[in-house]
Amino acid sequence: MVTIDPPGQVSAVRKQVGALWSRLLSLVYPPVCLGCSVIMARHGGLCPTCWSGAEFIERPYCEVLGVPFAHDQGEGAISPAALAEPPDYHRARAVMLYGDIAASLVHRLKYNDRLDLASIMAAWMVRAGDGLVEKADVIVPIPLHRLRLLSRRYNQSAELSRALARLTGKPHGIGLLVRRRQTRQQVGLGEKARQRNVRGAFVVPDAVKADVTGKRVLLVDDVYTTGATVNAAARALKRAGVADVTVLTFARVPDP
């Protein structure tokens, strides 16, 4: 079944309830650093040590791949990698490079049932998007195959995209992109093996092609490694008539 979550409007009552819940939560669970669990003044942050260790991606960076440059290359600069092998999406952005802090947050969201991290990570992703989230028509997560979803119980990419939709009021397209065959896990595979693994794995169902034709899609995943997964997904979206694909991830590996 395909569902598109409607844009959310947070009422004054819900804000008050949220503030009250945060105060109660602080009494039961003292606020700690998301990176190392040291006691903090408030929930949802990093201590100074972890903050300095997190490699946030800031300009200047490649306008296509989102990979940071060592030096300013000028407005609209594109990296040699993007010129030599243009991706199937139009542009990619990420919050931080995949290091110890990013790995810890992603791992806890993905494997340790820390779904509360999704809203915090999504807020950072909106900032990293630099206005691209607001320009999207619909937010679509990288889907899991239904059998893997049953074993894992939730899709971390969908949790991030759902949080992004709630923060921005954008439609959340669940079911607009599906993984039609179960693929091997990408961890441990080389670049070419990753590409073969996900080739043809994604499709936009015929019943919902009209919902994406001509639209600007924000494609969400947790980590960008070689780009094989998001490229395969972007090809499926473009075959269905999507006009523009922006990839937004929490972290990315700078040199796979």
Side-chain angles (χ1 to χ4, degrees):
M1 181 178 179
V2 175
T3 61
I4 297 182
D5 298 343
Q9 294 183 344
V10 181
S11 67
V13 174
R14 288 180 62 188
K15 287 183 178 179
Q16 292 174 359
V17 171
L20 177 60
W21 174 250
S22 296
R23 288 195 293 271
L24 291 174
L25 187 66
S26 295
L27 293 175
V28 180
Y29 300 104
V32 296
C33 170
L34 299 177
C36 66
S37 299
V38 68
I39 296 295
M40 298 269 288
R42 64 180 63 183
H43 287 283
L46 295 172
C47 70
T49 300
C50 289
W51 183 270
S52 62
E55 299 178 89
F56 288 95
I57 297 175
E58 303 285 353
R59 289 188 183 278
Y61 50 66
C62 170
E63 288 298 320
V64 175
L65 298 179
V67 177
F69 289 132
H71 307 286
D72 193 350
Q73 306 291 317
E75 185 177 355
I78 298 175
S79 64
L83 291 171
E85 193 171 352
D88 291 285
Y89 53 81
H90 293 84
R91 67 201 63 80
R93 300 290 185 267
V95 175
M96 62 178 71
L97 297 179
Y98 192 74
D100 291 342
I101 303 301
S104 174
L105 293 170
V106 169
H107 190 276
R108 282 190 282 169
L109 171 65
K110 190 171 183 176
Y111 300 113
N112 293 358
D113 295 335
R114 287 294 307 274
L115 300 183
D116 57 299
L117 293 176
S119 59
I120 300 167
M121 295 164 72
W124 288 343
M125 291 170 74
V126 171
R127 177 182 177 277
D130 194 23
L132 294 172
V133 181
E134 290 79 2
K135 293 178 180 178
D137 295 313
V138 61
I139 300 176
V140 176
I142 292 291
L144 290 177
H145 189 270
R146 60 183 180 277
L147 295 180
R148 184 158 293 162
L149 184 59
L150 284 173
S151 63
R152 192 178 288 177
R153 295 179 292 110
Y154 64 90
N155 176 4
Q156 76 281 354
S157 298
E159 295 302 320
L160 289 171
S161 62
R162 181 175 291 109
L164 281 165
R166 288 173 177 165
L167 282 172
T168 62
K170 294 292 180 178
H172 186 212
I174 292 292
L176 295 184
L177 181 68
V178 299
R179 193 182 292 245
R180 60 182 170 185
R181 63 179 175 81
Q182 189 168 14
T183 56
R184 292 175 57 192
Q185 293 212 24
Q186 297 279 67
V187 176
L189 298 181
E191 182 176 2
K192 296 299 182 184
R194 284 171 177 258
Q195 293 173 357
R196 290 192 298 269
N197 188 39
V198 295
R199 186 176 295 130
F202 303 102
V203 66
V204 175
D206 290 337
V208 298
K209 283 184 178 179
D211 294 326
V212 297
T213 300
K215 299 294 180 64
R216 298 173 65 92
V217 169
L218 184 77
L219 185 62
V220 175
D221 205 0
D222 55 349
V223 179
Y224 184 116
T225 306
T226 65
T229 299
V230 293
N231 271 298
R235 286 194 294 270
L237 290 167
K238 289 164 71 175
R239 282 196 299 268
V242 168
D244 186 275
V245 180
T246 294
V247 172
L248 182 61
T249 62
F250 179 74
R252 70 161 298 133
V253 176
D255 184 5

